Amino acid sequence: MPRKSITPDTDLEQMSILDADGALDTDLEPDIAAETLLELHHTMLLARRFDERLLNLQRQGRIGTFPPCKGHEAAHLGAAAHLRPTDWMVPSFRELAALLWRGASLEQMLVFNNGFNEGGALPPDARTLPMAVPVGSQMLHAVGLAWAAQYRRTDEVVMTFFGDGATSEGDFHEAMNFAAVYQVPLVFVCQNNHWAISIPLHKQTRTPTLAQKALAYGMPGMQVDGNDLLSVYVAAGEAMARARGGGGPTLIECVTYRLIMHTTADDPTKYRSEEEVKAWLARDPLPRFQNYLKNKGVLADADLSAIEADIENRIQAAVTRAEARMAQPHDPLLMFEHLHAERPAELERQRRELADELDVAAKGATDG
Amino acid sequence: MPRKSITPDTDLEQMSILDADGALDTDLEPDIAAETLLELHHTMLLARRFDERLLNLQRQGRIGTFPPCKGHEAAHLGAAAHLRPTDWMVPSFRELAALLWRGASLEQMLVFNNGFNEGGALPPDARTLPMAVPVGSQMLHAVGLAWAAQYRRTDEVVMTFFGDGATSEGDFHEAMNFAAVYQVPLVFVCQNNHWAISIPLHKQTRTPTLAQKALAYGMPGMQVDGNDLLSVYVAAGEAMARARGGGGPTLIECVTYRLIMHTTADDPTKYRSEEEVKAWLARDPLPRFQNYLKNKGVLADADLSAIEADIENRIQAAVTRAEARMAQPHDPLLMFEHLHAERPAELERQRRELADELDVAAKGATDG
Amino acid sequence: MAKRTMVQALNLALRQEMAKDDRVIVMGEDVGLDGGVFRVTDGLVAQFGEQRVLDTPLAESAIAGMAIGMAIYGLRPVCEIQFSGFAYHSFHQLENHAARMRWRTQGGLHVPMVLRAPYGAGVRALEHHSESREAYWAHTPGLKMVIPSGPRNARALLVSAIRDPDPVIFYEAKALYRAFREEVPDEEETLPIGQARVAREGRDVTLITYGAMLPPTLEAAERLHAEEGIEAEVIDLLTISPLDDQTLADSLAKTGRAAVVHEAQRSFGVGAEVVARLMERAFYSLEAPIARITGFDTIVPYFSREKHYLPHADRIAGRVKDMIKAV
Amino acid sequence: MAKRTMVQALNLALRQEMAKDDRVIVMGEDVGLDGGVFRVTDGLVAQFGEQRVLDTPLAESAIAGMAIGMAIYGLRPVCEIQFSGFAYHSFHQLENHAARMRWRTQGGLHVPMVLRAPYGAGVRALEHHSESREAYWAHTPGLKMVIPSGPRNARALLVSAIRDPDPVIFYEAKALYRAFREEVPDEEETLPIGQARVAREGRDVTLITYGAMLPPTLEAAERLHAEEGIEAEVIDLLTISPLDDQTLADSLAKTGRAAVVHEAQRSFGVGAEVVARLMERAFYSLEAPIARITGFDTIVPYFSREKHYLPHADRIAGRVKDMIKAV
Ligand SMILES: Cc1ncc(C[n+]2csc(CCOP(=O)(O)OP(=O)(O)O)c2C)c(N)n1
Ligand SMILES: Cc1ncc(C[n+]2csc(CCOP(=O)(O)OP(=O)(O)O)c2C)c(N)n1
Ligand SMILES: [Mg+2]
Ligand SMILES: [Mg+2]
């Protein structure tokens, strides 16, 4: 060797298919059935409108803090679009459209976001994990699921989501490394929205792309325009096929932007400029995809208003149902349920402690 | 972009100067003063002989478990050779030659390895941190030291050591990332000895080199023959100069081999073949460097026996001193010292508890 | 003197210590321009610059581990972990190193760092944002664990923590951040770490608490006084470890009865240690078993049920009445 | 029946459960060819292959986090953390997720994993290899914490832990690994988690202990009997959490006096919870304060001083004599 440059065997690409001005690279354009396109659009729009409604409800004090997803819809939905019902999705906390695509219930989300544990209930056969608050921690669960799916010789694939900030956590590193070493069927989808709360990307990492972090693990990486559903769809489709075919994990970086606050407790004007937000508003994934559908003749303006109306009704109905449900008395003792398969004696005593207190209070109330 | 390969801006190299057969790349040969070469050799030999003696003592039950370093001497000494007294060294646990180069006391090491806290004592102005047992954890301390050195506008550089196994820990990732983001004066030296106890490199990572992990952080990386002191010396010299000049951190991978057990509690025949060990014995860094010195006319055979004798005496003297010291009564209450600057009341009570017990026992012994 | 919230008081402590001592470095996620998600570090970066107020990448082990290195160098890093529920990522750095460096080097190196973290429930937060796990740190030899209960002592204790030559874990009750204001003087104030204070004098029963549970405990004491003529002495621990058991034992010698109130789950919590210390140091004063009035051994429920989880004045007063009637 | 060391007994448990149930996967650093640094997994990879015995890269958070995913899928991962002193790296995975997944999903998903780790002092090891920090896990709602005291119960409890539908932290005393042999039947044996056992009957005083402290406690009991005619009842907790306080309270009702013995540092440790539970459940049986005979609130000293740190029969017997004389 004496002294020489090494160029690692890289499998690293960039891709954009439908740009912000509507220009379409027809060579790369994926062949998606019109029906699927419309379903994707419906989900994207539902996510956008529901997100707006959640914000509204939060501002009225009718639900608690939550992380809105405006601007991210294409970045996660384009990827999740490939998931079969038997595949696994391991979300972080900003994948509303993907969750809806996977069948999440609006009503449950409302109940969850209003501080009711009932809203987090999952059936035992759920293949979408609950939201993971501790940043990056969920990626390791995805590795375990994917390992198990492989061990069981299924063709299931796991897809996990995380942000640019998450790439700094040790868990990101360990998950990427384990996934590569075991060559598990796993697709890592990073929604790089340039900010982790107030920390801009250049304070998060010195690399120009996040995709290149794949090189540290011997894994293919791809950076795509995350506001272009088509790019994300194509990249994820390839990664899913690779994973399903035994080719191991892939890292996909979807370059996108959070068009809104980090959570409803956040004030983004403290740390980023209006111009920056405006520039990204011009790249909003929703109108971009809608224009594509219109140009393609898949979606007519008239249909759109019908869809909007339908979505509005669906959301309103869910809000009504959720609020009716939450207006019912809800058992404080629920907190003692489901901690273990069998409740230990001490916990049962504590449960009785609270039950007695509630009885006394209720009696006091009736007596008084 | 539509779709294209990305080649990240890499600064990644491989280097070997003096190969296992003694062939020397004279273009790359560093210009090291004869005196320094002899000092390096002396330290390398001292480390080898002391390591052997420690093993011997351990087998006789005269010290406890320790991690021998046979085979690693060039990999860490070649790097540490650049450290000025004002620079900081942050070791893992297999850098005996580097510690000796930095002035560590044989006697203290013997006392430490025989389970006496006294052996870990450091002066307040120590710039070599103590051995770090939790793999990879020390790398973050190196980042903090380097940040502080930069904050204080000094020209100090920090060098930290770790193994191939350590690159899997989250702390490795976080340290590399923080160091790159803050562009601190830090040199990361990985002693890749192909094994983390029984785990071979290919089960540790899927990448062909560890140096390429630097690409995930936007940091230059270099892979060198870690059994060639000259290669390590040149690579580390460049990295030190870069760090001192404000150019930020570098990752150096020294390819080497542990010619011995992981620790004295380990049985490497369980997991690796004799042939593999033999092949690496042929690449032993010590004779390679010695032959280089002899060919260069810096070291004569006669000198060598004198050096060996000197080293033997020095070690023997240290063993004698250490054992005499350990034969003295040593205060059990030392465990209560130095936990805090000021001892809290409860700890003082516990100290008295033990002191009273010892008094009673001592009285019992004299009475009996 | 100015009336300040706890957030403002903590900000004052940081600002003044930073102005006085260029070894003090504030670091953590979003502590710069954003001023921290609770605004405790608001304005510091404008005043002191990015070298003194370090926005970090999103990695808690690194925040703690890097701070250890800075502290060894001689700086006085004050880390913010955004929520205490994410401090576990840094557990190994604290346990393996911060807590041990002085001991390991026989006094050679030491780690004067502070790790601040908002803790506790009651602010309608998401999962992982409501825990009170101070017992983890308190059980770690070599660490100090401090929890203030109001703006004034928060400021004074934070100053002491920054100046402490050893690592201090400093938990701040989110529920108190803006709950009330207190006079907090501009002039320097410190409070000794390791010293509890009698927040209310009384002779009938000793109520031992800290952090966000002080207000409901005081309220319970007032109610006991008003409704039953029971005079409760309320002790505010302020420091969890090292625990000031002398103040507790002295109070018990007077009252003969005690309850410990905390929002953390009960088992293996701080209350257990309080009971054990009093067993050791005041057994013969005990006229009744010491009660633990605490959070339950569950996860803190999502916010619609927080009020049932958290000890409140009614519950505290009720349990104390029962205790006193039982004898 | 064969005489087995604890290492062999644990190996038997793993081997039989793996043979019986292909959901059981053993994973960790060096658990394959090397058989684990203490040889607990010796020979398993030869018998079951690399898919069942998974050598992992060196990353404890990943070991735990990956196991969580596997467990959610329906497997039964048994992770080995090489030494409990490195389990803190996985703390956030256990606290944030393993302990909460069932609760978070209202029973939908659950995490039947076991995390095994050797703990404790007494084997002349390096720093970080001697801790006993079971209280950290015991204080975490949603986790079970088990510590066997001998080959036979180690085997039976490990089988129960593997079959448990919830996460179990399983600490194995290094000092007991090869300390003695016991008859351990080839036939299946299980022991219920959450149940203490009376290891020695007595009427004068209750000694409560677990893990590696059982032998010195039993020795102290024999000495008390021989030297003073004191009959100590010795209770071996076996499970730390959930704590079987009923067995403890029953014993105290008989003896009126108790001491708790553990090697972990004293403050905020398991002993405190034992005292607090007995305060709550057996106060009126107490004839003397319950003593804590434990490790000190220091780091475990390097091995030349371990014997002074660890409770030993002399110390235990001496403290119990004092306690009984004092009354
Ligand atoms: C381990 C951990 N640390 C800190 C936080 C607080 N926090 C929540 S989201 C967030 C930023 C996440 O940034 P990124 O990964 O880029 O995702 P984004 O919010 O931009 O979608 C932080 C710091 C957390 N939830 N978990
Ligand atoms: C965090 C942590 N996990 C596990 C261990 C146990 N352990 C000690 S050394 C070692 C292997 C280290 O391998 P490597 O980093 O390659 O260094 P080497 O021993 O080969 O020099 C392991 C697993 C440890 N000390 N720390
Ligand atoms: Mg982001
Ligand atoms: Mg190695």
Side-chain angles (χ1 to χ4, degrees):
Chain A
M1 48 167 160
R3 178 163 192 156
K4 64 163 198 260
S5 276
I6 340 177
T7 320
D9 230 10
T10 61
D11 184 354
L12 205 59
E13 285 187 282
Q14 259 177 347
M15 183 163 56
S16 159
I17 297 176
L18 177 71
D19 75 13
D21 304 321
L24 177 69
D25 186 319
T26 47
D27 288 347
L28 298 177
E29 184 188 5
D31 185 20
I32 310 179
E35 197 186 335
T36 310
L37 285 172
L38 285 174
E39 276 173 43
L40 288 168
H41 170 257
H42 193 278
T43 302
M44 208 164 162
L45 193 63
L46 176 61
R48 177 66 61 95
R49 297 293 172 249
F50 189 53
D51 205 46
E52 289 164 355
R53 176 62 80 93
L54 287 172
L55 182 57
N56 211 277
L57 292 169
Q58 195 280 334
R59 291 311 191 218
Q60 296 171 41
R62 287 159 70 188
I63 63 165
T65 310
F66 79 100
C69 90
K70 183 176 179 186
H72 285 68
E73 296 88 347
H76 54 256
L77 180 60
H82 294 282
L83 292 171
R84 301 180 185 164
T86 49
D87 291 333
W88 295 77
M89 174 171 153
V90 183
S92 73
F93 45 78
R94 211 182 293 286
E95 292 85 22
L96 179 56
L99 292 175
L100 294 172
W101 181 259
R102 293 278 286 176
S105 135
L106 301 182
E107 180 186 327
Q108 282 292 93
M109 283 195 264
L110 286 158
V111 170
F112 176 81
N113 280 320
N114 203 23
F116 286 86
N117 290 64
E118 291 88 332
L122 288 182
D125 59 353
R127 298 205 158 200
T128 303
L129 262 52
M131 156 172 147
V133 173
V135 168
S137 58
Q138 74 281 6
M139 301 172 68
L140 287 165
H141 313 160
V143 176
L145 289 167
W147 189 92
Q150 192 173 58
Y151 171 70
R152 286 302 191 202
R153 298 175 195 282
T154 70
D155 67 353
E156 300 157 19
V157 175
V158 183
M159 182 178 281
T160 186
F161 293 91
F162 52 98
D164 45 306
T167 65
S168 294
E169 284 284 2
D171 281 359
F172 161 84
H173 174 69
E174 299 187 11
M176 293 284 288
N177 188 47
F178 273 54
V181 165
Y182 296 124
Q183 287 290 291
V184 294
L186 176 50
V187 180
F188 290 98
V189 182
C190 179
Q191 299 194 74
N192 170 9
N193 64 8
H194 296 84
W195 293 92
I197 311 187
S198 75
I199 307 298
L201 193 58
H202 72 272
K203 285 189 172 187
Q204 198 69 245
T205 179
R206 201 177 153 80
T207 58
T209 73
L210 296 175
Q212 78 189 77
K213 292 184 188 284
L215 301 181
Y217 310 98
M219 193 190 289
M222 188 173 262
Q223 185 188 54
V224 302
D225 182 342
N227 284 6
D228 168 24
L229 187 132
L230 302 182
S231 299
V232 178
Y233 185 88
V234 170
E238 291 176 11
M240 290 292 289
R242 180 181 299 124
R244 222 181 291 280
T250 303
L251 171 63
I252 300 175
E253 173 191 358
C254 301
V255 179
T256 183
Y257 196 79
R258 156 164 70 70
L259 292 169
I260 199 161
M261 66 287 290
H262 168 72
T263 68
T264 47
D266 174 49
D267 172 11
T269 64
K270 282 206 82 165
Y271 54 79
R272 64 188 196 182
S273 71
E274 229 174 288
E275 298 80 69
E276 182 181 299
V277 181
K278 270 204 192 121
W280 278 99
L281 267 170
R283 293 178 241 173
D284 186 334
L286 180 60
R288 197 189 305 184
F289 188 54
Q290 289 180 322
N291 288 335
Y292 167 74
L293 295 179
K294 287 180 194 167
N295 291 340
K296 216 179 160 70
V298 171
L299 183 73
D301 280 328
D303 302 337
L304 193 53
S305 359
I307 299 171
E308 289 272 16
D310 173 54
I311 283 174
E312 167 61 24
N313 288 338
R314 216 178 125 190
I315 292 173
Q316 185 50 48
V319 171
T320 306
R321 274 198 316 276
E323 296 203 325
R325 196 169 137 202
M326 294 187 285
Q328 298 295 314
H330 38 273
D331 187 359
L333 299 174
L334 184 77
M335 70 175 95
F336 294 97
E337 302 293 327
H338 303 303
L339 191 60
H340 310 94
E342 256 182 274
R343 189 174 308 134
E346 167 65 16
L347 195 59
E348 180 55 32
R349 277 195 297 266
Q350 295 185 11
R351 186 175 177 280
R352 279 204 304 268
E353 219 176 279
L354 178 56
D356 290 347
E357 176 184 307
L358 295 166
D359 281 352
V360 170
K363 239 177 126 239
T366 5
D367 294 356
Chain B
M1 52 168 156
R3 179 167 193 153
K4 63 161 198 266
S5 275
I6 342 179
T7 319
D9 230 8
T10 61
D11 183 354
L12 205 59
E13 286 186 281
Q14 258 177 349
M15 182 164 56
S16 157
I17 297 176
L18 176 72
D19 77 13
D21 304 321
L24 177 70
D25 187 319
T26 47
D27 289 347
L28 296 178
E29 185 189 5
D31 184 20
I32 311 179
E35 199 187 334
T36 310
L37 285 172
L38 285 174
E39 277 173 41
L40 289 167
H41 171 257
H42 193 279
T43 302
M44 208 166 161
L45 193 62
L46 175 62
R48 178 65 60 96
R49 297 295 172 250
F50 189 53
D51 205 47
E52 287 164 356
R53 175 63 79 92
L54 287 173
L55 183 56
N56 210 278
L57 291 169
Q58 194 280 334
R59 292 308 191 221
Q60 296 171 41
R62 287 159 69 189
I63 64 165
T65 310
F66 79 101
C69 89
K70 184 178 179 185
H72 285 68
E73 296 88 346
H76 53 259
L77 180 59
H82 293 281
L83 292 172
R84 300 179 186 167
T86 48
D87 290 334
W88 295 78
M89 173 171 154
V90 183
S92 74
F93 46 79
R94 210 183 293 286
E95 292 87 21
L96 179 56
L99 292 176
L100 294 172
W101 180 260
R102 293 278 286 176
S105 136
L106 302 182
E107 181 186 325
Q108 282 293 92
M109 284 195 264
L110 286 158
V111 169
F112 175 82
N113 280 320
N114 203 23
F116 287 87
N117 290 66
E118 292 87 331
L122 286 182
D125 60 353
R127 298 204 158 200
T128 303
L129 263 51
M131 156 172 148
V133 172
V135 169
S137 58
Q138 75 281 4
M139 301 174 68
L140 288 165
H141 312 161
V143 176
L145 289 167
W147 189 92
Q150 192 173 58
Y151 172 70
R152 286 305 192 196
R153 300 176 194 283
T154 70
D155 67 353
E156 299 158 19
V157 175
V158 183
M159 182 179 280
T160 185
F161 293 91
F162 52 98
D164 45 304
T167 65
S168 294
E169 284 285 1
D171 281 358
F172 162 84
H173 174 69
E174 299 187 10
M176 292 284 288
N177 188 46
F178 272 54
V181 165
Y182 296 124
Q183 287 290 289
V184 294
L186 176 49
V187 180
F188 290 99
V189 182
C190 179
Q191 298 194 74
N192 170 9
N193 64 8
H194 297 85
W195 292 92
I197 309 186
S198 75
I199 307 298
L201 194 59
H202 73 270
K203 286 190 171 185
Q204 198 68 248
T205 180
R206 201 175 154 79
T207 59
T209 73
L210 297 175
Q212 80 189 77
K213 292 185 188 283
L215 301 181
Y217 310 97
M219 195 191 289
M222 188 173 262
Q223 186 187 54
V224 301
D225 181 342
N227 284 6
D228 169 23
L229 188 132
L230 302 181
S231 300
V232 178
Y233 185 88
V234 170
E238 291 176 10
M240 289 293 287
R242 180 181 298 124
R244 222 183 288 282
T250 304
L251 172 62
I252 300 175
E253 173 191 358
C254 301
V255 180
T256 182
Y257 195 79
R258 159 165 68 71
L259 292 170
I260 197 159
M261 66 288 287
H262 168 72
T263 67
T264 47
D266 175 51
D267 172 11
T269 64
K270 281 205 84 163
Y271 53 79
R272 65 188 196 182
S273 71
E274 229 175 290
E275 299 79 68
E276 182 180 301
V277 180
K278 272 205 192 116
W280 279 97
L281 267 170
R283 292 179 243 172
D284 186 334
L286 179 61
R288 196 189 306 183
F289 189 53
Q290 290 179 323
N291 288 335
Y292 168 72
L293 296 179
K294 288 180 195 168
N295 291 339
K296 214 179 163 67
V298 171
L299 183 72
D301 280 329
D303 303 335
L304 193 54
S305 357
I307 298 170
E308 290 273 15
D310 173 54
I311 283 174
E312 167 59 26
N313 288 338
R314 215 177 126 189
I315 293 173
Q316 186 49 50
V319 171
T320 306
R321 274 197 317 275
E323 297 203 326
R325 197 169 137 201
M326 294 187 287
Q328 298 294 314
H330 38 275
D331 186 0
L333 299 174
L334 184 77
M335 71 175 92
F336 293 96
E337 302 294 327
H338 305 302
L339 191 61
H340 310 94
E342 257 182 273
R343 189 175 305 136
E346 167 66 15
L347 196 58
E348 180 55 33
R349 279 196 295 268
Q350 295 185 11
R351 187 176 176 280
R352 280 203 304 269
E353 219 177 280
L354 178 55
D356 290 348
E357 176 183 307
L358 295 166
D359 281 351
V360 170
K363 239 176 126 241
T366 5
D367 295 356
Chain C
M1 291 220 278
K3 286 260 193 188
R4 291 183 161 100
T5 63
M6 193 191 277
V7 164
Q8 291 164 337
L10 292 164
N11 185 275
L12 178 71
L14 292 171
R15 194 180 295 274
Q16 291 187 331
E17 285 305 289
M18 290 181 80
K20 211 168 284 172
D21 184 351
D22 72 357
R23 296 174 304 173
V24 179
I25 307 289
V26 164
M27 59 193 288
E29 295 156 13
D30 306 292
V31 297
L33 256 190
D34 199 39
V37 295
F38 289 102
R39 307 290 180 253
V40 172
T41 59
D42 211 26
L44 298 181
V45 74
Q47 184 172 344
F48 298 101
E50 296 209 344
Q51 282 288 298
R52 301 287 305 283
V53 183
L54 212 57
D55 268 332
T56 65
L58 212 174
E60 290 76 12
S61 176
I63 292 170
M66 181 176 170
I68 291 169
M70 292 159 74
I72 289 172
Y73 193 96
L75 303 182
R76 304 244 152 182
V78 182
C79 311
E80 175 171 305
I81 297 291
Q82 203 156 80
F83 288 89
S84 66
F86 311 128
Y88 316 132
H89 290 69
S90 60
F91 210 95
H92 64 286
Q93 284 292 342
L94 274 301
E95 198 280 345
N96 290 172
H97 295 298
R100 295 161 173 260
M101 198 55 81
R102 180 189 287 280
W103 184 89
R104 182 181 297 150
T105 60
Q106 296 283 294
L109 308 177
H110 64 128
V111 183
M113 68 181 277
V114 179
L115 188 137
R116 296 178 38 242
Y119 87 97
V123 301
R124 294 171 55 92
L126 289 169
E127 200 193 335
H128 304 288
H129 292 71
S130 303
E131 284 71 23
S132 303
R133 300 284 171 89
E134 54 278 6
Y136 292 150
W137 307 109
H139 186 52
T140 305
L143 298 181
K144 291 175 182 151
M145 170 78 238
V146 171
I147 306 188
S149 61
R152 187 158 180 176
N153 60 42
R155 185 283 195 102
L157 284 164
L158 183 53
V159 172
S160 299
I162 294 172
R163 297 185 188 173
D164 197 283
D166 289 311
V168 177
I169 311 295
F170 194 92
Y171 267 21
E172 300 162 4
K174 289 186 282 290
L176 297 181
Y177 265 154
R178 295 188 169 77
F180 59 93
R181 286 167 189 269
E182 260 177 7
E183 300 288 351
V184 179
D186 285 332
E187 300 72 53
E188 173 172 320
E189 276 193 343
T190 61
L191 271 175
I193 290 174
Q195 207 166 294
R197 99 193 149 95
V198 178
R200 182 186 193 283
E201 301 218 12
R203 58 173 186 269
D204 298 324
V205 59
T206 303
L207 304 182
I208 300 157
T209 191
Y210 53 93
M213 288 296 104
L214 181 64
T217 304
L218 285 171
E219 193 190 326
E222 289 310 317
R223 210 174 287 182
L224 288 165
H225 162 77
E227 294 172 11
E228 315 270 331
I230 295 171
E231 292 306 333
E233 178 141 306
V234 176
I235 294 180
D236 179 8
L237 289 179
L238 296 175
T239 298
I240 307 303
S241 173
L243 186 67
D244 179 7
D245 49 23
Q246 189 61 48
T247 298
L248 306 183
D250 289 348
S251 178
L252 213 77
K254 187 165 65 171
T255 62
R257 291 184 182 82
V260 49
V261 182
H262 61 62
E263 63 177 288
Q265 71 275 12
R266 183 171 308 163
S267 291
F268 302 90
V270 169
E273 182 63 27
V274 167
V275 170
R277 288 286 177 95
L278 289 172
M279 173 77 84
E280 283 157 5
R281 311 210 58 216
F283 180 70
Y284 297 101
S285 310
L286 281 179
E287 290 164 29
I290 301 173
R292 290 189 287 177
I293 307 168
T294 67
F296 302 112
D297 288 353
T298 66
I299 318 292
V300 182
Y302 297 167
F303 65 76
S304 73
R305 288 180 175 88
E306 275 182 315
K307 61 176 178 293
H308 298 294
Y309 177 87
L310 289 172
H312 44 74
D314 256 3
R315 182 180 298 167
I316 300 165
R319 290 283 299 277
V320 172
K321 280 183 215 170
D322 291 349
M323 184 201 299
I324 289 180
K325 282 184 196 143
V327 187
Chain D
M1 290 220 278
K3 286 259 193 190
R4 290 183 162 100
T5 62
M6 193 191 277
V7 164
Q8 291 164 338
L10 291 164
N11 185 274
L12 178 71
L14 292 170
R15 192 180 297 274
Q16 291 186 331
E17 285 305 289
M18 289 182 81
K20 211 169 284 173
D21 184 351
D22 72 357
R23 296 174 304 172
V24 180
I25 307 289
V26 165
M27 59 193 287
E29 296 156 13
D30 307 293
V31 297
L33 256 191
D34 198 39
V37 294
F38 289 101
R39 306 292 179 252
V40 171
T41 60
D42 211 27
L44 298 181
V45 74
Q47 185 172 345
F48 299 102
E50 296 208 345
Q51 283 289 299
R52 301 286 305 282
V53 184
L54 211 56
D55 268 331
T56 65
L58 211 175
E60 290 77 11
S61 176
I63 293 170
M66 180 175 171
I68 291 170
M70 292 158 75
I72 289 172
Y73 194 96
L75 303 183
R76 305 245 153 181
V78 183
C79 312
E80 175 172 305
I81 298 291
Q82 205 159 79
F83 288 89
S84 66
F86 311 127
Y88 316 133
H89 290 69
S90 60
F91 210 97
H92 64 283
Q93 284 292 342
L94 276 301
E95 197 282 344
N96 291 170
H97 295 298
R100 294 162 174 260
M101 198 56 81
R102 180 188 288 279
W103 185 88
R104 183 181 298 150
T105 61
Q106 296 284 295
L109 308 177
H110 65 129
V111 183
M113 68 181 276
V114 180
L115 188 136
R116 297 178 38 242
Y119 87 98
V123 300
R124 294 172 55 92
L126 288 169
E127 201 193 334
H128 304 288
H129 292 72
S130 304
E131 284 70 26
S132 303
R133 299 285 173 87
E134 54 278 5
Y136 293 150
W137 308 110
H139 185 52
T140 304
L143 298 182
K144 290 174 184 154
M145 170 77 238
V146 172
I147 305 187
S149 61
R152 187 160 180 175
N153 61 40
R155 185 282 194 104
L157 284 165
L158 184 53
V159 172
S160 299
I162 294 171
R163 297 184 189 174
D164 197 284
D166 290 310
V168 178
I169 311 294
F170 194 91
Y171 267 20
E172 301 162 4
K174 289 185 282 292
L176 297 180
Y177 265 153
R178 295 187 168 78
F180 58 94
R181 286 167 189 272
E182 261 177 7
E183 300 287 351
V184 179
D186 285 332
E187 300 72 53
E188 173 171 320
E189 276 194 341
T190 61
L191 271 176
I193 289 175
Q195 206 165 295
R197 99 194 149 94
V198 177
R200 182 187 193 282
E201 302 219 9
R203 57 172 188 270
D204 298 323
V205 60
T206 303
L207 304 182
I208 300 156
T209 191
Y210 54 93
M213 289 296 104
L214 181 64
T217 304
L218 285 171
E219 194 192 325
E222 289 311 317
R223 212 175 287 182
L224 287 165
H225 163 76
E227 294 171 11
E228 316 268 333
I230 296 171
E231 290 306 334
E233 178 141 305
V234 176
I235 295 180
D236 179 8
L237 288 179
L238 294 175
T239 297
I240 307 302
S241 172
L243 186 66
D244 178 7
D245 49 23
Q246 190 61 48
T247 297
L248 305 183
D250 290 348
S251 179
L252 213 75
K254 185 164 65 168
T255 62
R257 288 183 187 81
V260 49
V261 181
H262 60 61
E263 62 178 290
Q265 70 274 11
R266 183 172 307 161
S267 292
F268 303 91
V270 169
E273 183 62 27
V274 167
V275 170
R277 288 285 177 94
L278 289 172
M279 173 77 84
E280 284 157 5
R281 310 209 60 214
F283 180 72
Y284 298 100
S285 309
L286 281 179
E287 290 164 29
I290 301 171
R292 291 190 286 177
I293 306 169
T294 67
F296 302 111
D297 287 354
T298 66
I299 318 293
V300 183
Y302 297 168
F303 65 76
S304 73
R305 289 180 175 87
E306 276 183 315
K307 61 175 178 296
H308 298 295
Y309 177 87
L310 289 171
H312 44 74
D314 256 2
R315 181 180 297 168
I316 300 165
R319 290 283 299 278
V320 172
K321 281 183 216 171
D322 291 349
M323 183 201 298
I324 289 180
K325 281 183 196 146
V327 187

